[in-house]
Amino acid sequence: MGVVNVTPDSFSDGGTWFDADKAIRHGLDLVAEGADVVDVGGESTRPGAQRVSREEELRRVVPVIEALSAEGVPVSVDTMRAEVAEAAVAAGARLVNDVSGGLADPGMPRMVAATGVPYVVMHWRGHSHDMQSRAVYSDVVGEVRDELLRRVDAVLAEGVDPSMIVLDPGLGFAKSPEAGHNWALLAHLDTLLGTGYPVLVGASRKGFLGRLLAAPDGTRRPFNDCDDATVAITALAAAAGAWCVRVHRVRPNADAVRVASAVRTAGPAGASERPGMASRRDVAVSEADSDAAGRRGDSGSDHR
């Protein structure tokens, strides 16, 4: 899943693709590099970010989604608003990627159920302006799993098809780098995979990577200088059985997925059938696109 931030203030590339024409070209470039899905978002969810209006979010994303969809690109929309998601689906989006898991807008699950599109339910405890104050856990792995499953129960009650649900542990969202929450979730990805739902991993360029790679004087590695570490996580996540990875640079991560797939295929019989690599692997793409996803190993949010 390649990232297209149509924003002036996203943490990793704020403003680079804010112009619609540049965003469209970037989306096409990501597909050429091997992206199976292009994730278009018009609202930054970096720590401290303030929300934009619904009208502004629509103005940012709809033209980009329409243009990419017209080119046959499988597009997902990164939004917390049901009205934006509905307009995006009407414009051609095939998946809704909701970082709030339906908590920010109670109408989102009903909209997803009505349109029948796949739905990424991310672990979330609050909006960007105060989410880090909520990064308090006794057992981050167990609590994230349990909170996600409660959200799944809630969206199922609104009529969402269970075969259309994807889970995302929400790395960087209400997760403390100092407490190692993100690393614990990555180390125990099998806990989420064991739920039977496909899992999306979004570690690309996130702050916990910059902290890990800090210079001896404590200066953190810049966001856009964490791509090699992102590739390492992609390989590990793909080997563990993740359904998809959300990344800013596609080609090296696509290569990592192919390597992990080759190793998994060469391993013990049935290794590719571990939880998470299930029959729902084509959930985010049409049947016509699922072969491309399979060729890349069926594996492929800090903040948007």
Side-chain angles (χ1 to χ4, degrees), residues 1-282:
M1 181 182 283
V3 178
V4 176
N5 291 317
V6 194
T7 59
D9 57 345
S10 289
F11 82 97
S12 67
D13 55 9
T16 305
W17 318 115
F18 189 41
D19 176 80
D21 289 338
K22 290 181 179 179
I24 293 162
R25 286 196 297 273
H26 185 51
L28 294 173
D29 288 343
L30 293 178
V31 172
E33 292 177 5
D36 295 307
V37 184
V38 172
D39 194 41
V40 177
E43 180 176 41
S44 175
T45 49
R46 61 179 172 77
Q50 298 299 311
R51 301 211 66 185
V52 301
S53 69
R54 176 194 60 194
E55 292 75 17
E56 175 62 13
E57 189 179 0
L58 285 166
R59 186 194 69 78
R60 294 176 182 183
V61 302
V62 169
V64 177
I65 292 171
E66 285 180 336
L68 290 175
S69 297
E71 295 290 333
V73 175
V75 177
S76 62
V77 59
D78 178 359
T79 184
M80 293 182 279
R81 289 186 169 104
E83 289 184 71
V84 173
E86 186 173 26
V89 171
R94 306 186 195 181
L95 178 149
V96 173
N97 182 13
D98 178 2
V99 301
S100 79
L103 287 168
D105 186 342
M108 182 71 88
R110 291 191 295 276
M111 191 288 303
V112 170
T115 57
V117 295
Y119 185 40
V120 177
V121 177
M122 197 191 82
H123 179 262
W124 188 82
R125 284 186 167 182
H127 287 289
S128 298
H129 64 88
D130 69 345
M131 65 181 175
Q132 292 310 99
S133 67
R134 307 184 188 201
V136 179
Y137 304 88
S138 297
D139 170 13
V140 66
V141 176
E143 290 174 52
V144 166
R145 176 201 59 206
D146 292 347
E147 289 173 31
L148 276 172
L149 290 178
R150 285 198 290 273
R151 289 309 307 152
V152 169
D153 288 342
V155 302
L156 291 178
E158 297 288 348
V160 176
D161 184 338
S163 70
M164 292 289 101
I165 291 175
V166 176
L167 301 184
D168 181 340
L171 301 178
F173 289 80
K175 312 296 185 302
S176 168
E178 294 80 8
H181 294 153
N182 300 292
W183 296 115
L185 289 164
L186 287 167
H188 297 282
L189 203 59
D190 59 322
T191 298
L192 283 187
L193 295 168
T195 65
Y197 291 101
V199 173
L200 171 68
V201 174
S204 185
R205 298 182 177 179
K206 292 197 173 180
F208 72 97
L209 298 180
R211 181 184 179 88
L212 174 73
L213 304 174
D217 65 359
T219 303
R220 296 187 184 183
R221 186 77 64 85
F223 294 124
N224 60 3
D225 208 11
C226 292
D227 288 324
D228 291 343
T230 298
V231 172
I233 289 180
T234 289
L236 293 168
W243 164 78
C244 188
V245 289
R246 183 182 184 276
V247 298
H248 295 84
R249 289 191 63 212
V250 167
R251 178 166 288 143
N253 286 283
D255 289 349
V257 167
R258 294 170 76 176
V259 169
S261 180
V263 172
R264 188 174 62 246
T265 301
S272 63
E273 297 304 317
R274 60 180 60 143
M277 302 298 292
S279 59
R280 287 178 284 193
R281 66 186 183 180
D282 61 343

